[in-house]
Amino acid sequence: MESSGAQSCPGTCLAFSRTHKGLVLIGEIILCLLTLICFGASRSGYAGLAAVELVFAALVLLAWSCRLPPRLTLLHWGWTDFMRCIIGALLFLITSLIVIVGHRDGAGIAGGVFGILAGILLGYDAYITLPTRQGHTAAPTESPDGA
């Protein structure tokens, strides 16, 4: 049974979606969806990357909003999310540049532009997620009584 101070599941999901990380993940999901639609409408054949990254971003959003990282300590969530962001950013930037240069249809070019924006947003997400950037506090060297 929940305590009176605990929020319900929809409450925690809404609370997380209003944080900086939540907004970045929602932006990634929207850009991946737009890229998926544009790549699917063109003859580029690169829709798989956008679909996989869309699923991964949705899973990470669900995990963080349901407060799973403190409960599942098997994974190091910071490094896992960081690697997801780095790999996704690199793949989106490379694939989008290939599509923009190689295809002349409007949907492919639009998908390439959305893919570049998604790659930039994933790179920013990697920057804010970098676990060594989070900063750890040093252990106190003085005794509590000041001596």
Side-chain angles (χ1 to χ4, degrees):
M1 183 163 214
E2 289 185 84
S3 66
S4 61
Q7 290 182 336
S8 65
C9 184
T12 58
C13 290
L14 285 175
F16 180 77
S17 68
R18 292 184 182 124
T19 65
H20 184 69
K21 176 72 175 175
L23 291 174
V24 169
L25 281 170
I26 290 171
E28 288 175 15
I29 291 170
I30 291 170
L31 284 173
C32 287
L33 184 62
L34 290 173
T35 306
L36 177 65
I37 291 169
C38 291
F39 280 168
S42 75
R43 294 174 299 229
S44 64
Y46 293 110
L49 171 64
V52 167
E53 191 58 42
L54 174 69
V55 169
F56 283 161
L59 288 175
V60 169
L61 178 66
L62 182 67
W64 282 107
S65 63
C66 291
R67 296 181 182 168
L68 286 180
R71 295 181 201 159
L72 297 174
T73 58
L74 180 67
L75 288 174
H76 190 288
W77 288 89
W79 282 109
T80 303
D81 193 25
F82 175 73
M83 293 306 294
R84 175 195 67 88
C85 294
I86 287 292
I87 292 169
L90 290 175
L91 289 177
F92 261 122
L93 292 175
I94 292 169
T95 304
S96 298
L97 289 175
I98 290 171
V99 169
I100 287 175
V101 170
H103 296 287
R104 298 290 176 227
D105 60 338
I109 293 173
V113 171
F114 286 131
I116 287 175
L117 292 175
I120 291 169
L121 187 60
L122 280 163
Y124 175 71
D125 192 8
Y127 173 73
I128 65 171
T129 306
L130 183 63
T132 57
R133 188 180 159 272
Q134 301 298 323
H136 300 293
T137 57
T141 56
E142 297 179 2
S143 65
D145 60 356

